[in-house]
């Protein structure tokens, strides 16, 4: 395909010329301007047919007016009158044979008339005209057309912005189209904040321009859903036939699995233009997702019926399929797009990301590099190439079909623990769901959140995500990326691995709610502190308007009103899975998954193997209500009607009438503690825990009670309280550490060990936890754990490496691993040459190594690390 070489053409020279060029825009007579304004009004209101018809008359009066012809052609293209548009173009060329603007429009006209060669010729002619007589094209409309042309030729967007758009804006500050062009450029580069700024500026110039509102709708789509919806509605108010806005709505409905409404939107587009390629492409997407291959083929054929090699059609189909986790089908579609146009960078980049998500890394990275070469200003491509370089420094651990990539230092500290967890998840979930996993399953743990985000989404952001699974590739945040309070990585990886199992089983054909529901449910089965617990807030949501019927759970994820609602969608989905398994058995769930794999829709599969949707909705609601009511049934959850600064006596008085008001009791306990009235506070906190024993929040009644007992040096009581609290939390490191210390005083090694393991499951990057593990290992003679702990400590840049090497040498010697033991004794001496104990150790080890009994035997490999504690009690 023709492509301008920006290195050979002195663009800056053109830009200077263009800036000085004459403008014919203001020379039109007033009557002409009025005619044109009327035409523009019709076009903007979406009355394209009338616009085209009126333009015929105006063009007869003023055949040389390029603005009229351009509007006529654009109106005809909007309503699919492609042949007429071609005729108009040819008429217009007779009047303005040297127009670059008509050529730029002509590119689309020829493409949609099945003449791609002529379309390419248009591009070539623009380049030639520019080289020969750039001075002709100084008017603002030509300049905007040239801006788009340059961008299509992958010219540095900054140059286009500074050399064209900003120059036009300076010359004519009220020319809204130029501001819109700046906004579009920012959207294209995914700089949404900048785009919003441009479109806001455009709004001040013209708040009745549908494209301005449409620009705002897209600029706010990621950050402010409400504003975005309002702007989209306003766009369609101003122009009910705004095709891109209708397509965007259809796109959103497809994401939300509301295929019927999406079809309705596409119907509206088809009423405007029955041959719209993208409307037909969306039809193909819906047909694919509804497992309707014949319709899919027909829709794609229609999409390509006007421009047979339109790469955007397959690119769009693939992108939407990938959005639904159908990465293999998505990748195939991008390959088709690239067959049509090997220069179509968007398809190459999407293919690269699809392949990376499928674990086909070699080709995935190569394509990312190629895309970055082709479009040096593409943020995603640039990000991926940078990420690849930092991933090269990662360490890869392989075992049991897993390929685990971690930061090299982190791999030394807790890599084996991650592998042990994954192997345990595999041994539990693979047979349970009766699935064969492809190998390898790739897990990447990122110490930097930004790297995680780029690997996962292509762009920075996504701060709320701990891990993501694409099928057989898992990406996760390591504890290092999570600041002061990391989440339990073991729970995260169990959850993500469960996605690997269910996505493999359904060939990625499952609604998100079911996948998330099963993953959260399985977390809770494995360890009752994992997954999601019912909270007073969820209780209110389950009993109120936030409850979503089982048959509509897909929407709960896609229309979550807030981060809390999204979190609640996970909880409710896991409850739905628990309900389904309880009512119909694990086998029914498995059969539902099998049906999904064949392409059946979830609600059909549920009806086949469980019950009618009406019954499921009814019974699940009942189940959820009962679960909600089971939380602290005697507690009164209403907000106490108390002044904000009520004193202890006032609160106590009020509680006489509302003895079970949980928030009121909380306030009383606080007031009593503040007055150091420990006995009274203890009584109040105990009352709270009688009402709601599962309240394991950090800072909640258990924490407060433990703090009081600590103050009173009542160690036994403090220990008992903490022991109960840790049954309801998986990441309260302060509670784990304190309980471990108290248990150590009592020589309760089992508890110390449990707490060390649970601490490691959250943050293994703290030396203190490895010291704890080493201590308990020494006390209980667990040589493997002792050695692993010393190794982790050594990887954590300790201040006492000599002592640690000696301790490690001792543990390894006792394990019989004499070679490794000797190495560490020598390393201890390297650190501290006159270290008497290390000399003694080395002599002992060497003595054993040279004794004939030891010679022939190679050192046995170190045994695996202790498996972390699992609470087997089920909720
Ligand atoms: Zn998940």
């Amino acid at each position: 395909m023709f492509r301008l070489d920006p290195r050979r053409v002195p663009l800056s020279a053109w830009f200077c010329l263009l800036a000085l060029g004459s403008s014919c825009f203001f020379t039109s007579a007033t009557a002409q301007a009025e005619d044109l304004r009327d035409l523009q009004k019709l076009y903007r209101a979406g009355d394209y047919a009338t616009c085209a018809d009126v333009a015929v008359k105006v063009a007869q009066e003023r055949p040389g007016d390029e603005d009229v012809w351009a509007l006529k052609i654009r109106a005809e293209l909007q309503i699919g009158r492609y042949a007429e548009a071609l005729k108009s173009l040819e008429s217009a060329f007779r009047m303005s044979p040297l127009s670059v603007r008509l050529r730029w429009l002509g590119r689309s006209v020829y493409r949609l008339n099945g003449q791609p060669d002529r379309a390419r010729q248009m591009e070539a002619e623009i380049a030639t005209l520019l080289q020969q007589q750039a001075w002709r094209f100084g008017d603002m409309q030509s300049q905007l057309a040239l801006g788009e042309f340059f961008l299509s030729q992958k010219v540095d967007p900054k140059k286009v912005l500074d050399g064209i758009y900003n120059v036009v804006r300076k010359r004519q500050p009220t020319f809204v189209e130029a501001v819109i062009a700046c906004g579009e450029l920012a959207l294209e580069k995914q700089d949404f904040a900048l785009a919003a700024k441009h479109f806001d500026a455009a709004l001040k110039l013209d708040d009745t321009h549908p494209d301005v509102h449409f620009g705002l709708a897209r600029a706010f789509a990621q950050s402010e859903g409400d504003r975005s919806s309002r702007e989209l509605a306003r766009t369609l108010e101003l122009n009910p036939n705004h095709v891109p806005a209708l397509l965007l709505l259809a796109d959103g409905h497809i994401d939300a699995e509301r295929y019927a409404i999406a079809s309705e939107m596409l119907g509206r587009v088809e009423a405007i233009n029955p041959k719209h390629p993208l409307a037909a492409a969306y039809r193909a997407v819906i047909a694919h997702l509804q497992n309707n291959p014949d319709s899919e083929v027909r829709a794609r054929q229609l999409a390509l019926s006007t421009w047979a090699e339109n790469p955007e059609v397959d690119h769009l189909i693939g992108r939407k399929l990938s959005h639904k986790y159908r990465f293999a089908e998505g990748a195939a579609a991008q390959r088709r797009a690239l067959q049509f146009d090997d220069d179509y960078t968007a398809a190459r980049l999407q293919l690269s990301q699809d392949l990376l998500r499928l674990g086909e890394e070699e080709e995935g990275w190569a394509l990312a590099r190629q895309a970055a070469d082709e479009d040096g200003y593409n943020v995603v491509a640039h990000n991926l190439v940078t990420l690849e370089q930092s991933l090269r420094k990662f360490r890869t651990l392989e075992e049991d079909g897993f390929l685990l990539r971690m930061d090299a230092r982190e791999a030394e500290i807790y890599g084996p623990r991650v592998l042990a967890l994954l192997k345990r998840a595999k041994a539990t979930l693979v047979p349970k769901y009766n699935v064969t996993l492809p190998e390898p399953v790739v897990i990447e743990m990122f110490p930097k959140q930004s790297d995680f985000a780029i690997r996962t989404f292509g762009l920075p952001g996504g701060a709320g995500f701990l891990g993501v699974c694409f099928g057989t590739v898992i990406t996760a945040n390591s504890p290092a990326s999570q600041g002061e309070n990391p989440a339990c990585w073991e729970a995260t990886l169990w959850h993500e691995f469960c996605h690997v199992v269910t996505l493999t089983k359904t060939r990625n054909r499952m609604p998100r709610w079911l996948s998330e529901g099963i993953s959260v449910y399985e977390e809770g089965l494995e360890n009752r502190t994992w997954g999601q617990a019912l909270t007073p807030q969820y209780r209110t949501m389950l009993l109120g308007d936030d409850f979503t019927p089982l048959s509509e759970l897909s929407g709960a994820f896609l229309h979550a009103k807030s981060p809390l609602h999204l979190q609640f969608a996970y909880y409710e989905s896991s409850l739905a899975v628990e309900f389904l398994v309880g009512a119909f058995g694990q086998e029914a769930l498995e059969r539902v998954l099998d049906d999904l794999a064949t392409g059946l829709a979830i609600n059909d599969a549920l009806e086949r193997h469980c019950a009618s949707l009406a019954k499921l909705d009814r019974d699940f609601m009942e189940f959820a209500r009962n679960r909600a009511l089971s939380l602290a049934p005697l507690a009164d959850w209403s907000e106490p009607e108390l002044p904000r600064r009520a004193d202890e006596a006032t609160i106590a008085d009020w509680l006489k009438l509302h003895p079970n008001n949980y928030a009121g009791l909380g306030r009383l306990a606080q007031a009593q503690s503040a007055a150091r009235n420990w006995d009274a506070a203890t009584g109040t906190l105990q009352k709270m825990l009688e009402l709601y024993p599962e309240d394991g929040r950090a800072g909640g009644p258990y924490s407060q009670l433990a703090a009081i007992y600590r103050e009173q040096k009542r160690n036994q009581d403090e220990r008992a309280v903490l022991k109960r609290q840790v049954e309801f939390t998986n990441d309260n490191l302060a509670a784990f550490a304190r309980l471990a210390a108290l248990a150590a005083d009592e020589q309760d090694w089992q508890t110390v060990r449990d707490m060390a393991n649970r601490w490691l499951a959250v943050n293994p990057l703290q030396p203190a936890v490895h010291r704890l593990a080493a201590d308990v290992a020494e006390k209980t003679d667990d040589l493997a754990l002792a050695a692993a702990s010393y190794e982790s400590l050594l990887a954590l840049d300790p201040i006492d490496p000599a002592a640690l090497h000696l301790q490690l040498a001792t543990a390894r010697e006792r394990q019989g691993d004499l070679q490794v033991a000797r190495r560490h004794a020598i390393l201890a001496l390297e650190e501290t040459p006159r270290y008497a104990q290390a000399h003694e150790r080395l002599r002992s080890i060497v003595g054993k190594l040279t004794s004939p009994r030891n010679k022939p035997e190679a050192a046995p490999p170190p045994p695996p690390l202790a498996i972390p504690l699992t609470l087997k009690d089920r909720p």
Side-chain angles (χ1 to χ4, degrees):
M1 183 188 155
F2 165 79
R3 190 153 129 225
L4 194 66
D5 185 349
R7 285 158 302 188
R8 281 190 296 135
V9 185
L11 284 175
S12 52
W14 290 351
F15 291 143
C16 292
L17 257 176
L18 294 171
L20 297 169
S22 68
S23 164
C24 57
F25 191 71
F26 297 102
T27 56
S28 323
T30 320
Q32 290 179 351
E34 257 172 38
D35 282 343
L36 190 64
R37 264 200 291 275
D38 287 343
L39 284 179
Q40 275 169 342
K41 247 189 207 161
L42 288 168
Y43 186 91
R44 275 202 203 176
D47 196 349
Y48 305 118
T50 315
C51 176
D53 294 343
V54 175
V56 175
K57 286 174 213 146
V58 181
Q60 277 163 359
E61 287 163 26
R62 299 204 308 274
D65 192 331
E66 208 176 298
D67 289 330
V68 175
W69 284 114
L71 214 48
K72 180 171 190 289
I73 293 165
R74 283 171 58 203
E76 284 161 344
L77 291 181
Q78 285 286 355
I79 48 182
R81 292 188 191 163
Y82 300 142
E84 273 111 316
L86 183 55
K87 272 189 214 148
S88 305
L89 181 72
E90 283 163 357
S91 305
F93 270 138
R94 278 196 288 277
M95 301 301 157
S96 313
L98 297 178
S99 167
V100 289
R101 184 176 161 202
L102 287 175
R103 279 181 174 74
W104 179 241
L105 208 49
R107 176 183 182 251
S108 305
V109 175
Y110 283 119
R111 281 176 168 177
L112 290 167
N113 276 283
Q115 301 182 34
D117 291 343
R118 286 284 289 147
R120 283 189 278 273
Q121 196 186 331
M122 291 290 106
E123 293 179 306
E125 285 177 11
I126 295 175
T128 312
L129 281 167
L130 276 176
Q131 272 161 335
Q132 292 167 353
Q133 31 197 327
W135 52 270
R136 280 181 180 276
F137 312 114
D139 67 285
M140 292 190 292
Q141 294 289 356
S142 294
Q143 297 228 7
L144 290 193
L146 286 173
E148 287 177 22
F149 166 73
F150 284 131
L151 291 171
S152 78
Q153 305 302 315
K154 294 170 182 167
V155 169
D156 178 355
K158 242 193 233 124
K159 280 189 187 161
V160 174
L161 188 69
D162 291 339
I164 298 189
Y165 295 161
N166 285 341
V167 175
V168 173
R169 285 178 74 175
K170 221 169 165 182
R171 269 168 56 194
Q172 181 59 33
T174 58
F175 184 41
V176 71
E177 307 289 342
V179 190
I180 293 176
C182 293
E184 295 285 343
L185 181 55
L187 281 180
E188 171 90 356
K189 296 295 151 197
Q190 315 206 346
D191 190 341
F192 299 108
L194 182 64
K197 237 171 88 181
H198 286 308
F199 286 113
D200 266 329
L203 196 63
K204 291 200 182 85
L205 295 175
D206 185 352
D207 65 356
T208 62
H209 200 312
D211 290 349
V212 173
H213 293 281
F214 184 57
L216 285 167
R218 284 174 295 158
F220 286 113
Q222 316 263 336
S223 56
E224 290 176 47
D226 282 357
R227 169 94 196 260
S228 178
S229 312
R230 276 204 310 277
E231 297 293 352
L232 203 54
R234 182 76 183 125
T235 309
L236 289 166
E237 228 171 82
L238 292 163
N239 177 357
N241 295 330
H242 198 281
V243 169
L246 292 169
L247 290 176
L248 187 66
L249 278 175
D251 190 285
H253 289 304
I254 289 173
D255 289 349
E257 294 165 30
R258 289 186 299 237
Y259 301 127
I261 309 178
S263 285
E264 225 172 86
M265 291 296 144
L266 296 176
R268 282 177 66 182
V269 175
E270 287 151 355
I272 302 161
N273 177 358
K275 290 182 257 178
H276 199 286
L278 298 188
Y282 277 116
R283 288 261 183 228
V285 171
I286 295 177
H288 187 109
L289 295 172
Q290 293 187 326
N291 203 27
N292 200 340
D294 294 339
S295 305
E296 183 188 358
V297 169
R298 274 199 304 277
R300 182 171 174 271
Q301 274 166 354
L302 177 66
L304 295 170
S305 62
T306 45
W307 174 17
E309 298 192 342
N310 183 354
E312 200 180 354
V313 169
D314 282 315
H315 173 58
L316 173 72
I317 294 174
R319 197 163 50 76
K320 293 314 291 175
L321 294 181
S322 296
H323 197 263
K324 297 283 181 190
Y325 271 52
R326 310 285 184 86
F327 301 113
E329 294 111 297
Q334 302 306 339
R335 288 191 198 280
R336 291 197 301 270
L338 286 166
Q339 260 165 22
F340 286 153
D341 180 356
D342 191 46
D343 255 352
Y344 201 73
T345 306
R348 190 170 343 276
L349 193 54
Q350 182 67 43
L351 178 58
S352 149
Q353 285 181 292
D354 287 342
L355 293 177
L356 290 174
R357 285 162 186 171
L358 288 164
E360 293 175 34
E361 299 182 357
E362 203 171 314
E363 192 186 355
W365 290 121
L367 287 167
R369 286 193 296 271
Q370 196 183 340
D373 283 347
E374 285 168 2
D375 182 357
Y377 304 94
N378 189 300
V379 185
V380 174
H382 171 81
N383 285 343
L384 284 174
V385 169
T386 314
L387 175 66
E388 190 202 359
Q389 283 157 3
S390 63
L391 264 170
R392 284 213 191 108
K393 293 180 206 135
F394 274 40
R395 183 159 307 163
T396 303
L397 309 177
E398 272 178 271
E399 213 176 309
D400 195 20
F402 290 107
L403 207 151
L404 169 64
R405 287 202 189 94
M406 297 175 80
D407 167 78
R409 178 172 154 272
E410 289 196 15
E412 270 176 43
I413 298 168
Y414 69 108
R417 243 169 214 283
V418 178
L419 278 177
L421 184 279
L422 290 169
K423 282 160 67 181
R424 192 154 58 86
K426 185 175 176 180
T428 308
L429 296 171
V430 166
K432 179 170 179 182
Y433 285 87
N434 191 19
V435 58
T436 313
L437 291 189
E439 288 191 1
V441 173
V442 176
I443 300 96
E444 290 175 358
M445 292 185 81
F446 294 91
K448 276 199 222 149
Q449 199 277 340
S450 55
D451 284 352
F452 163 78
I454 286 161
R455 174 69 169 96
T456 310
F457 313 108
L459 290 167
F465 289 87
L466 294 169
V468 168
C469 170
F470 296 110
T472 53
V473 174
I474 292 172
T475 57
N477 275 300
S478 99
S481 66
Q482 298 174 53
E484 291 289 292
N485 301 303
C488 176
W489 60 264
E490 288 194 349
T492 300
L493 290 186
W494 195 277
H495 175 109
E496 299 305 337
F497 181 76
C498 187
H499 282 312
V500 173
V501 169
T502 55
L503 288 172
T504 302
K505 187 159 179 81
T506 58
R507 297 161 63 206
N508 281 28
R509 295 174 177 184
M510 69 192 306
R512 183 165 169 205
W513 78 263
L514 186 60
S515 196
E516 297 300 358
I518 294 176
S519 278
V520 176
Y521 168 73
E522 287 293 347
E523 274 184 77
L525 286 190
E526 175 58 22
N527 182 322
R528 72 174 185 190
T529 72
W530 294 358
Q532 288 211 30
L534 177 59
T535 63
Q537 207 161 25
Y538 287 173
R539 177 186 183 278
T540 311
M541 293 174 92
L542 283 176
L543 296 173
D545 292 341
D546 292 314
F547 176 78
T548 307
L550 190 144
S551 62
E552 293 166 29
L553 271 171
S554 284
F557 281 89
L558 295 147
H559 316 294
K561 280 185 263 171
S562 68
L564 172 68
H565 285 84
L566 184 62
Q567 206 65 43
F568 178 67
Y570 279 79
Y571 174 72
E572 203 197 312
S573 298
S574 78
L575 207 57
V577 171
E578 189 187 330
F579 158 73
L580 290 172
V581 172
F584 308 99
Q586 174 73 20
E587 309 70 39
L589 178 63
E590 239 191 87
R591 281 198 296 272
V592 167
L593 297 178
D594 286 334
D595 269 2
L596 290 173
T598 68
L600 210 65
I602 176 64
N603 286 354
D604 296 340
L606 287 173
E607 291 208 310
R608 259 163 65 92
H609 301 295
C610 299
S612 75
L613 284 185
K615 182 171 164 51
L616 286 176
D617 277 348
R618 222 174 28 244
D619 291 357
F620 175 56
M621 188 165 175
E622 174 82 16
F623 178 84
R625 276 189 69 83
N626 287 338
R627 176 60 58 88
L629 294 171
S630 75
L631 179 109
L634 298 177
D636 160 10
W637 293 107
S638 59
E639 265 310 300
E641 303 121 22
L642 280 164
R644 199 144 26 112
R645 288 165 186 258
D647 61 10
E648 190 183 323
T650 315
I651 303 172
D653 232 30
W654 186 85
L655 278 167
K656 278 182 194 145
L657 287 173
H658 312 85
N660 291 344
N661 185 286
Y662 202 74
L665 286 166
R667 285 182 61 177
L668 181 63
Q670 226 168 15
Q672 290 163 332
S673 291
R676 300 181 68 82
N677 189 353
W678 301 133
D679 288 346
T682 303
T684 307
L685 291 165
Q686 277 167 343
K687 161 107 192 181
M688 287 175 79
L689 290 172
E690 273 163 32
L691 286 170
Y692 178 24
E694 299 90 357
D695 189 357
R697 284 173 298 142
Y702 285 116
S703 298
Q704 293 177 47
L705 209 48
I708 292 174
Y709 290 145
R710 188 170 185 176
E711 175 78 27
Q712 296 177 321
K713 301 202 170 19
R714 288 163 63 179
N715 286 0
Q716 293 287 352
D717 291 327
E718 185 189 355
R719 197 173 134 214
V721 166
L722 288 172
K723 263 200 146 165
R724 287 179 64 198
Q725 182 177 20
V726 298
E727 284 176 40
F728 306 108
T729 168
N730 63 41
D731 59 5
N732 189 335
L733 296 187
F736 299 160
R738 179 66 186 155
L739 179 54
L742 290 168
D745 288 345
E746 301 289 321
Q747 306 205 350
D748 172 4
W749 304 124
Q750 186 53 45
T751 301
V752 178
R753 191 189 179 86
D754 290 349
M755 290 309 109
N757 276 321
R758 295 186 59 182
W759 186 342
L760 286 164
V762 179
N763 194 352
L765 301 175
Q766 294 176 324
V769 66
H770 296 285
R771 297 236 177 246
L772 184 67
D775 285 350
V776 75
E778 294 281 0
K779 291 287 189 309
T780 53
D781 227 20
D782 183 341
L783 297 170
L785 179 61
S789 305
Y790 294 130
E791 271 161 8
S792 298
L793 280 167
L794 278 167
L796 277 162
D797 297 327
I799 46 169
D800 54 348
L804 284 171
H805 280 299
L806 175 62
Q807 282 167 309
L808 184 51
T810 313
R812 287 296 187 212
E813 182 191 359
R814 290 182 58 204
Q815 275 185 296
D817 189 355
L818 297 176
Q819 298 290 356
V820 176
R822 182 173 65 173
R823 187 155 55 82
H824 285 285
I826 292 169
L827 285 169
L829 287 166
E830 263 175 25
E831 295 282 347
T832 311
R834 294 182 187 190
Y835 197 171
Q837 284 167 291
H839 277 292
E840 196 181 305
R841 200 72 281 129
L842 184 59
R843 265 198 299 279
S844 150
I845 295 164
V846 171
K848 285 182 190 164
L849 273 169
T850 48
S851 96
R853 229 166 10 106
N854 270 304
K855 257 199 178 151
E857 275 181 49
L865 287 182
I867 304 275
L869 165 85
T870 308
L871 294 169
K872 287 291 179 211
D873 300 341
R874 309 260 151 109

